[in-house]
Amino acid sequence: MNRHYLHIEFDRSRGLQEQVRETLVNAILSGIFPADQPLPSCRQLASQLQVSRNTTALVFEGLVNDGYLISRPRSGYFLHPDYQSCQYKTTETALPADNTAPLWSNRFKVAPSQQESIMKPSGWMHYRYPFIYGQPNTAQFPLSQWRAASRWLNSGVADQRWIIDHIDQDVPMLIEQIRTRVLPKRGILAAPDEILITIGSQNALYLLTRLLMSSSTRVAVENPGYREAINTFLLGDAQIIPHDVDEEGITLNQPPCDYYYVTPGHQVPTGVTLSSQRRKALLEHVTRHDAVIIEDDYDSESNFTLNPPPALKASDKHGRVVYVSSLSKALSPGLRLGFMVADPELIDEARALRRLVVRHAPTNIQYQMAHFLAQGYYETHLRRYHEDSARRWELLNRSLETWLPECRPIPGSEHANAFWLKTPGGINTQQLTWRAAHAGVLIEPGARHFLDATPPETFFRMGFHAISPEKIAPGVEVLREQLAQL
């Protein structure tokens, strides 16, 4: 009998059967079980792992049904013949050093890894006070409703065409939900052929870059601005023209550009809302100079401002606004589900390009999200999300007024999904970030958002969704203590 010792560090957030099965499958595929000996019995394995015998019995039966094991009466469980000479067994496959191997660094035509980017510590969730931006409150995720949508999808009631490859087409049900449920809230009326599903907003920006930009293209961007959009435009060799941002949003004091990339709802990273005067001026400017606006309405669904202004696209009378947004920002950023609204001719070309890159967003997720929208689950979640966000914003705002009154947000950024702050007395936020992190407080230095040759080092950003509400005030107090030492 095989006496191989199996050890599992059980994760309480996962099921026992799931973890036992995963361990056994890994052991089988690694080739550690001899072909002519039975595996440990249900009782022995249960005793070894300190789980119930019923748990191990169910796992063994499942592996028999799936063809990993065979059961022999009065003898036990043995490897299925297909796995008796397992090809997955670990072997030494490392190749010796060879001077004829390609030198990849000389072959790269672009090097995205060398671009400035906004990085978050991989272990941010382990900080005591994570004022991190762009991460949701996981406790808010509507798990039971999402599971209900998943059951609907897999019950046979739903259209089973989600199993097949749709080549370059999107799920009509999701397109219709976006057209009738999502876009009208932003004042946008669109036909089905004007909407394209994307794998998040970033995917949409990449498609637009490849289709519209070259070395002769001038792209106006906000400064400070969304660094990943700028990085994407640079992949198209575009000329990046920074435009300053004040309390009313982007300023138009530069020579005309071909494209204007803006985040008018809440500007990234300052949180400023583009004023009505600037909106009108920008629309008139692009019409006069035959330019196009790329409107990134990234927080359209997570915007908890009471009666936010409509999208720029809602006032677009000449087809000069390409609208990009997300369905997953307020629900789960990991879903990577967004959409683009534009002229049908542009949508057709973007669809053809998307086919070459990713074909289409996963169809099962599209169906599931469409049902989630149709059943009203999404709207219910947004209502709770907005209420929770408003409470958190007020908590952080009061805490900043109490402990850091000298670090005030820019006017016009009220009720944004993060606070953009400036340190007093020219204190360097890189030093503040380092000191705060060692005290358990995680903030984001702001220098990387600027395109200046010498970016200011006095700005930083604080989010409030990833931190527990009861830790907001104590976290700001600790940050105050670190700031005082500088």
Side-chain angles (χ1 to χ4, degrees):
M1 179 176 293
N2 185 2
R3 299 291 183 182
H4 190 88
Y5 179 72
L6 296 176
H7 176 70
I8 304 176
E9 291 285 348
F10 283 110
D11 182 349
R12 293 183 179 180
S13 65
R14 301 174 59 196
L16 292 177
Q17 284 187 44
E18 172 191 354
Q19 296 179 74
V20 173
R21 178 188 169 100
E22 184 178 295
T23 301
L24 282 172
V25 168
N26 286 338
I28 292 169
L29 297 181
S30 297
I32 66 174
F33 291 133
D36 58 348
Q37 294 183 26
L39 273 67
S41 67
C42 294
R43 187 187 303 276
Q44 290 169 331
L45 188 60
S47 176
Q48 184 184 119
L49 299 178
Q50 296 185 340
V51 299
S52 72
R53 183 183 176 188
N54 187 52
T55 296
T56 55
L58 289 172
V59 170
F60 275 125
E61 287 303 315
L63 293 176
V64 170
N65 292 335
D66 291 341
Y68 287 97
L69 303 176
I70 57 174
S71 177
R72 295 177 183 171
R74 296 185 298 277
S75 296
Y77 293 96
F78 291 77
L79 292 177
H80 188 281
D82 290 348
Y83 294 97
Q84 288 182 4
S85 56
C86 189
Q87 299 301 308
Y88 296 89
K89 189 170 183 178
T90 302
T91 57
E92 292 293 332
T93 58
L95 297 175
D98 187 345
N99 292 332
T100 64
L103 186 60
W104 291 109
S105 58
N106 289 345
R107 293 172 176 262
F108 294 141
K109 300 302 183 287
V110 294
S113 65
Q114 302 305 308
Q115 293 177 322
E116 287 277 358
S117 60
I118 309 302
M119 303 298 292
K120 298 177 176 64
S122 58
W124 64 264
M125 67 289 297
H126 302 304
Y127 282 76
R128 189 174 183 186
Y129 305 109
F131 290 102
I132 195 75
Y133 171 74
Q135 296 295 339
N137 171 19
T138 55
Q140 283 273 311
F141 185 78
L143 189 57
S144 60
Q145 290 84 1
W146 189 249
R147 282 174 174 166
S150 178
R151 287 193 297 270
W152 168 83
L153 179 68
N154 295 287
S155 65
V157 176
D159 189 341
Q160 294 301 307
R161 284 182 295 176
W162 66 266
I163 297 173
I164 66 175
D165 181 6
H166 285 229
I167 313 300
D168 64 357
Q169 294 301 303
D170 294 315
V171 171
M173 181 181 177
L174 181 57
I175 294 291
E176 188 63 12
Q177 289 299 315
I178 292 172
R179 191 181 73 82
T180 60
R181 295 280 188 95
V182 177
L183 292 177
K185 290 188 296 182
R186 304 296 294 129
I188 300 173
L189 300 178
D193 63 352
E194 295 177 299
I195 303 171
L196 180 75
I197 304 300
T198 61
I199 304 179
S201 300
Q202 197 68 38
N203 178 220
L205 296 178
Y206 177 81
L207 297 176
L208 293 171
T209 298
R210 295 292 294 167
L211 287 173
L212 304 175
M213 299 178 189
S214 67
S215 58
S216 62
T217 306
R218 291 168 56 86
V219 183
V221 300
E222 299 158 327
N223 185 38
Y226 179 43
R227 175 60 72 167
E228 293 293 53
I230 296 167
N231 288 343
T232 303
F233 301 148
L234 287 172
L235 291 178
D237 248 357
Q239 301 173 42
I240 304 299
I241 312 298
H243 284 56
D244 290 341
V245 172
D246 61 19
E247 63 273 10
E248 292 188 72
I250 189 171
T251 58
L252 298 174
N253 54 4
Q254 299 280 350
C257 292
D258 301 297
Y259 297 94
Y260 288 79
Y261 171 78
V262 292
T263 52
H266 281 128
Q267 196 271 332
V268 177
T270 66
V272 168
T273 297
L274 190 64
S275 70
S276 58
Q277 292 83 0
R278 292 280 174 85
R279 288 166 180 261
K280 182 180 178 181
L282 180 58
L283 287 166
E284 291 175 349
H285 179 84
V286 298
T287 301
R288 186 166 57 252
H289 296 287
D290 189 24
V292 168
I293 297 170
I294 300 174
E295 178 181 12
D296 189 345
D297 202 10
Y298 69 98
D299 75 339
S300 61
E301 298 297 274
S302 60
N303 191 338
F304 57 95
T305 303
L306 187 62
N307 300 318
L312 278 172
K313 182 68 175 172
S315 302
D316 179 23
K317 298 178 181 179
H318 307 288
R320 293 191 175 276
V321 178
V322 178
Y323 182 84
V324 172
S325 191
S326 170
L327 284 171
S328 51
K329 183 71 72 176
L331 181 63
S332 169
L335 286 175
R336 308 305 309 148
L337 202 57
F339 58 94
M340 183 188 342
V341 182
D343 183 89
E345 184 178 3
L346 176 56
I347 291 296
D348 283 346
E349 288 300 325
R351 186 185 308 280
L353 176 58
R354 187 192 63 179
R355 184 188 75 242
L356 299 178
V357 181
V358 295
R359 297 184 82 82
H360 53 72
T363 312
N364 62 326
I365 296 298
Q366 290 193 52
Y367 269 107
Q368 192 167 340
M369 189 67 190
H371 183 74
F372 195 77
L373 281 159
Q375 293 297 306
Y377 297 145
Y378 188 58
E379 199 62 36
T380 300
H381 168 69
L382 288 182
R383 186 167 59 250
R384 293 170 178 166
Y385 179 93
H386 293 166
E387 292 171 355
D388 179 66
S389 297
R391 285 193 296 268
R392 289 167 175 269
W393 187 92
E394 291 292 347
L395 278 171
L396 182 50
N397 188 54
R398 287 200 304 269
S399 299
L400 290 169
E401 288 177 345
T402 301
W403 297 104
L404 290 173
E406 64 274 40
C407 298
R408 296 305 303 148
I410 184 173
S413 64
E414 292 77 16
H415 299 106
N417 277 288
F419 283 72
W420 179 252
L421 306 167
K422 186 176 183 179
T423 56
I427 291 177
N428 187 294
T429 53
Q430 294 285 358
Q431 297 177 15
L432 176 61
T433 300
W434 184 86
R435 291 189 63 92
H438 281 75
V441 178
L442 190 60
I443 61 173
E444 179 188 307
R448 289 188 174 184
H449 291 278
F450 289 89
L451 295 174
D452 307 61
T454 305
E457 298 277 1
T458 55
F459 291 92
F460 65 102
R461 183 163 64 170
M462 295 179 71
F464 47 80
H465 286 104
I467 185 172
S468 300
E470 64 273 9
K471 291 186 177 181
I472 289 177
V476 175
E477 186 176 357
V478 173
L479 181 62
R480 168 65 181 176
E481 294 170 357
Q482 299 305 312
L483 185 64
Q485 296 180 37
L486 292 172

